[in-house]
C-alpha cells in the first residue's frame, strides 16, 4: 500500500509541475495593458502578426482570450465513458489558438513553418493571422470584424459560408462577447500606448 501511495504522490507532483511556467495565464485578463506589460513577448508577437497579416492586435487578443484564456497548453476537456472513464479529448484543439491538428498542419504547409508550435505565442498569433486572412479571402469578412471572424474561426470557413452558426444561439452570443472584448482591449491599448 505504501508503494501505491508513493506512486500517487509522485504522479501528483509531476502533474502540478506541468501546469507552471509559461502555461500560466497572465494575471489580469480584463486589462490589455496589464497583459502586455506582464508578457511583453505577447505584444511583440501580436504586432508581428498585424504587420504580416493585417489582423489588429485587439482582435487577436480577444480571440485568444476566448479560445484559451492565454494558456499556452490549453486543451479541450476529456470525454468520459460511463461518466468516469476518460476516453480522449473532445477534439484535437491545443494551445493559445486552440488550432485543430489538421488545420495546424495545413497552416504549417501553406506558410512553410514546419517547426511552428501551438504553445508558442508567436506561432499561435501568426496562425490566427493566416486563418483570419483566409476568412477574409473566402468569406469577405473584414480583419477588424472580431464577431464574424470568430464565427468563422469556430465553425470553419465552409461552415461560416453555410451559416451553420445561425442554429447555435450560444455561439452567436459568444461571438458577441468576443466582439465586446475586442472593443475593450482596443480602447485599453490606445490608453496604455500613451503611458
Amino acid at each position: 500500500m505504501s508503494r501505491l501511495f508513493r506512486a500517487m504522490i509522485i504522479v501528483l507532483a509531476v502533474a502540478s509541475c506541468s501546469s507552471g511556467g509559461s502555461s500560466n495565464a497572465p494575471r489580469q485578463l480584463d486589462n490589455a495593458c496589464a497583459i502586455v506589460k506582464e508578457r511583453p513577448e505577447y505584444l511583440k508577437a501580436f504586432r508581428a502578426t498585424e504587420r504580416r497579416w493585417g489582423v489588429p492586435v485587439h482582435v487577436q487578443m480577444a480571440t485568444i482570450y476566448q479560445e484559451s484564456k492565454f494558456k499556452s497548453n490549453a486543451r479541450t476537456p476529456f470525454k468520459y465513458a460511463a461518466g468516469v472513464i476518460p476516453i480522449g479529448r473532445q477534439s484535437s484543439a491545443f494551445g493559445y489558438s486552440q488550432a485543430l491538428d489538421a488545420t495546424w498542419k495545413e497552416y504549417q504547409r501553406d506558410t512553410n513553418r514546419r517547426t511552428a508550435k501551438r504553445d508558442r505565442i508567436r506561432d499561435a498569433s501568426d496562425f490566427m493571422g493566416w486563418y483570419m486572412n483566409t476568412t477574409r479571402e473566402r468569406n469577405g469578412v473584414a480583419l477588424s470584424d472580431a464577431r464574424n471572424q470568430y464565427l468563422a474561426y469556430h465553425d470553419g470557413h465552409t461552415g461560416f459560408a453555410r451559416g451553420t452558426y445561425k442554429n447555435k444561439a450560444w455561439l452567436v452570443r459568444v461571438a458577441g462577447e468576443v466582439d465586446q472584448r475586442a472593443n475593450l482591449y482596443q480602447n485599453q491599448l490606445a490608453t496604455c500606448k500613451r503611458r
Side-chain angles (χ1 to χ4, degrees):
M1 186 71 159
S2 64
R3 283 185 185 182
L4 177 61
F5 182 70
R6 276 188 242 149
M8 287 173 45
I9 296 287
I10 291 169
V11 168
L12 288 173
V14 169
S16 68
C17 291
S18 67
S19 65
S22 65
S23 65
N24 291 338
R27 288 184 294 274
Q28 297 180 47
L29 295 181
D30 292 331
N31 185 329
C33 296
I35 292 170
V36 299
K37 184 177 181 183
E38 183 179 340
R39 306 282 170 85
E41 70 275 14
Y42 285 10
L43 186 58
K44 185 177 178 183
F46 299 147
R47 285 182 174 160
T49 294
E50 185 173 41
R51 283 190 302 275
R52 181 175 184 192
W53 300 106
V55 179
V57 169
H58 61 277
V59 173
Q60 296 173 58
M61 290 181 72
T63 305
I64 287 177
Y65 172 88
Q66 183 58 45
E67 290 298 288
S68 66
K69 303 295 187 280
F70 291 91
K71 292 179 184 168
S72 65
N73 63 352
R75 293 184 185 275
T76 59
F78 281 105
K79 294 184 285 187
Y80 292 91
V84 293
I85 303 167
I87 57 171
R89 301 269 178 192
Q90 292 177 1
S91 79
S92 64
F94 175 71
Y96 289 108
S97 62
Q98 288 295 281
L100 299 171
D101 289 351
T103 311
W104 188 260
K105 286 177 183 165
E106 181 183 351
Y107 157 74
Q108 288 177 307
R109 277 191 311 269
D110 284 0
T111 59
N112 199 28
R113 299 190 74 207
R114 306 246 187 251
T115 60
K117 295 185 176 185
R118 291 178 279 183
D119 60 355
R120 267 198 307 237
I121 192 66
R122 68 178 181 264
D123 295 336
S125 65
D126 192 72
F127 167 83
M128 285 186 159
W130 167 81
Y131 194 92
M132 291 179 177
N133 253 278
T134 305
T135 299
R136 181 182 53 81
E137 292 167 4
R138 290 187 187 176
N139 298 302
V141 178
L143 297 174
S144 59
D145 182 350
R147 179 187 181 277
N148 285 304
Q149 281 287 351
Y150 185 75
L151 290 170
Y153 195 82
H154 187 278
D155 270 15
H157 298 121
T158 303
F160 179 81
R162 290 180 181 157
T164 54
Y165 61 89
K166 293 175 183 173
N167 297 321
K168 301 174 184 173
W170 64 270
L171 178 56
V172 172
R173 177 187 51 77
V174 169
E177 291 170 2
V178 170
D179 191 50
Q180 289 174 356
R181 182 165 294 275
N183 291 332
L184 173 71
Y185 283 166
Q186 182 179 27
N187 292 334
Q188 291 171 339
L189 289 167
T191 64
C192 65
K193 286 178 187 173
R194 290 189 216 130
R195 293 180 192 166

